[in-house]
Structures are given as C-alpha cells and as structure tokens.
Amino acid sequence: MAQTVIPEGAAPQTPQTRQERIDYGRSVLDAVNGELGHRVVRALEDVSPALGEQVLIGFGEIYARPQLSPRDRQLVTLGMLTALGGCEPQLEVHVNAALNVGLSPQEIMEALLHSSAYCGFPRALNATFAAKRVFEERGLLPLGDGGV
C-alpha cells in the first residue's frame, strides 16, 4: 500500500504571504486529492475565488500537520461528512482521496458501515451510495469476498 507523502512546507505558524500559503496548499491538495480537488477549486473561480483560496489554505494548514497520516485524516473526514449528512458531493471527493492515500474499498465500506451505529441508517446509506458511485467510476465493483 503506497503511502501518500505530503510535500514539505512551512509550518502553519511560520509567517508566509497569502500566496505562499495558497501555493503550498495546492501542493498538498495535489498529494491527497489530485485532479478532483482541483476541479472543486476551479468550480469556485467564477463565483467565489476567495472560498477556493480558503480551501487551498486549509489543505496546507490542516492536512499537512504530521500528527495524523493522510490515511487517518481521510477516515476521520469520511466519518464527519457521513455524520453531517447532505455532503454526498464532498463524500465522493473524499472517497476518491481515501483511495488515493491507501484505504481499500473494503476499509472505506467498513468505516461507513460502522457509521450506521452512530449516524443512523439514512446517512450511512447516503454515504455508501456516494462511495458506490466512486467505486463504479474507478472500476472497483463488485468488491468481492472482501466486501462488507
């Protein structure tokens, strides 16, 4: 299982220009989300470029912290988005990211199954169908014997 390497950059506490923070966040987004993350940022360019910049800054300042691995961060993110509900487009982006950082489809499905006990079946079902769309797009279905 490949380990995602977050690019080295200044710590969030290090004084930087806004553009440096945006550029570093873009490099972290590349490592974790790849093209899908950039589609989100590009989709904001004509309506709220400042929000797109905030997303990039957030990746540089939150996702690059060494206390959790990118893999662990994606597990937390999947759980949070499932719990929130109504975040299926973001779940699809983060299911892709979870696959990019080394989670298997079976591990993702187990996390979503686990969420049913805490978030309820409607939210777990919505999250599962979002994950299924990603798995279909990536040619990962059926999951086979390792499925949940």
Side-chain angles (χ1 to χ4, degrees), residues 99 105 132-143:
L99 292 166
K132 181 179 179 178
R133 286 189 292 277
V134 172
F135 298 157
E136 286 172 340
E137 289 171 5
R138 291 179 72 152
L140 299 173
L141 291 179
L143 294 186

Side-chain angles (χ1 to χ4, degrees), residues 42-109:
R42 280 195 304 272
L44 294 168
E45 287 175 353
D46 64 348
V47 66
S48 183
L51 181 56
E53 290 175 354
Q54 288 305 120
V55 168
L56 293 171
I57 289 169
F59 265 84
E61 292 185 355
I62 302 298
Y63 273 77
R65 294 175 57 81
Q67 289 80 0
L68 290 175
S69 69
R71 183 183 189 284
D72 292 343
R73 286 189 189 283
Q74 285 307 314
L75 272 174
V76 171
T77 302
L78 293 176
M80 295 290 210
L81 291 173
T82 299
L84 285 168
C87 301
E88 289 73 25
Q90 292 78 20
L91 264 165
E92 289 184 29
V93 170
H94 285 282
V95 168
N96 269 295
L99 292 166
N100 293 346
V101 299
L103 284 162
S104 70
Q106 292 81 6
E107 290 170 319
I108 292 167
M109 293 314 305

